[in-house]
Amino acid sequence: MFNAERLLGQLMGQALGGQLGGHKRKRGKSSGLGGMMGSMSTGTKAQLGLGLLGVAMAAFEHYQNKPGAAPQPMAGPGAAMPPPPPAGAAMPPPPPMAAAQVAVRTEQAMHLLRAMITAAHADGLMDAQEREAILGRAREAGLDAEEIEALDAEIRAPFTLEQLVVRTPAHLRPETYAAALIAITADTAEERAFLDRLAGQLQLDDAARRDIHAQLGVDAA
């Protein structure tokens, strides 16, 4: 069953492990963004000011820890979290949502996934070998055939920065920038220029960018 949030979370997991885009990602798991996200509990990720990004990462971790569980979209950011389970108890599945909410969240999750893929292509180093490696890790993580097919289609035909921006609703601008920031290490001139252009076209000022970087534990550009 296709679950866009789980797909987004899996791609985030690859990015945090330095395994997304190009062959030279250097992001360490024990420091910066990778270390911060890795040390958070599932509930904390969902409640942070990361919106759907935090929820998607929490959803992916839930299903990765519970293979065979039927994927259901998680409750939205800001919703009341259920009480923690007793010590040693399995994490309960997230509550289901109405069909209309699922459709909206699926569209938003796919948009953020496209932002990550657009950013990963920023330095022009993602080739066929890297694409197959990303898909292989997604298969190993338990994504189903429909999710793998969707990921492959997006990687093969990434949006340009301009296409991404024109499709970004105002309320998703901060999350779109955050998704791009998660996808890349911003350690090349091409990547830094991409983030500068993206922020400018999304109409995010310096204060907004600093806030996003602070939430993600990444030095400001």
Side-chain angles (χ1 to χ4, degrees):
M1 177 179 176
F2 181 73
N3 185 320
E5 289 178 21
R6 186 172 71 153
L7 178 56
L8 173 61
Q10 200 281 328
L11 198 66
M12 288 176 64
Q14 291 202 40
L16 295 174
Q19 299 172 317
L20 177 64
H23 300 284
K24 50 79 186 133
R25 301 299 179 206
K26 304 183 183 72
R27 177 176 288 141
K29 293 184 180 180
S30 61
S31 63
L33 178 57
M36 186 196 78
M37 292 290 283
S39 65
M40 291 178 188
S41 69
T42 296
T44 300
K45 288 186 179 79
Q47 294 182 82
L48 269 181
L50 302 177
L52 189 55
L53 292 172
V55 172
M57 192 65 184
F60 171 68
E61 290 181 349
H62 170 80
Y63 295 114
Q64 189 177 43
N65 293 333
K66 293 285 291 180
Q72 294 282 342
M74 291 187 68
M81 297 297 294
M91 178 68 71
M97 295 188 301
Q101 290 177 294
V102 172
V104 170
R105 290 279 290 278
T106 294
E107 182 179 350
Q108 292 178 348
M110 290 302 297
H111 178 81
L112 297 177
L113 181 139
R114 290 171 184 133
M116 294 186 69
I117 291 173
T118 298
H121 280 84
D123 54 16
L125 294 178
M126 186 180 289
D127 56 18
Q129 180 181 353
E130 179 65 15
R131 185 184 73 246
E132 288 304 315
I134 291 170
L135 296 175
R137 289 188 289 267
R139 292 187 189 96
E140 292 172 2
L143 268 65
D144 65 26
E146 189 176 1
E147 291 163 340
I148 296 294
E149 183 179 355
L151 179 59
D152 187 29
E154 296 297 339
I155 294 174
R156 287 176 180 273
F159 280 1
T160 65
L161 185 149
E162 291 73 20
Q163 289 172 328
L164 178 67
V165 168
V166 78
R167 289 168 172 80
T168 303
H171 69 279
L172 274 186
R173 288 174 184 171
E175 281 186 78
T176 299
Y177 180 86
L181 181 59
I182 288 171
I184 57 180
T185 54
D187 59 359
T188 69
E190 293 87 354
E191 291 173 344
R192 289 190 292 270
F194 172 87
L195 290 174
D196 288 343
R197 289 174 54 216
L198 180 61
Q201 294 194 33
L202 290 175
Q203 300 179 17
L204 298 174
D205 60 21
D206 289 343
R209 291 184 72 182
R210 284 194 299 269
D211 183 58
I212 294 168
H213 281 250
Q215 288 184 55
L216 295 176
V218 178
D219 291 338

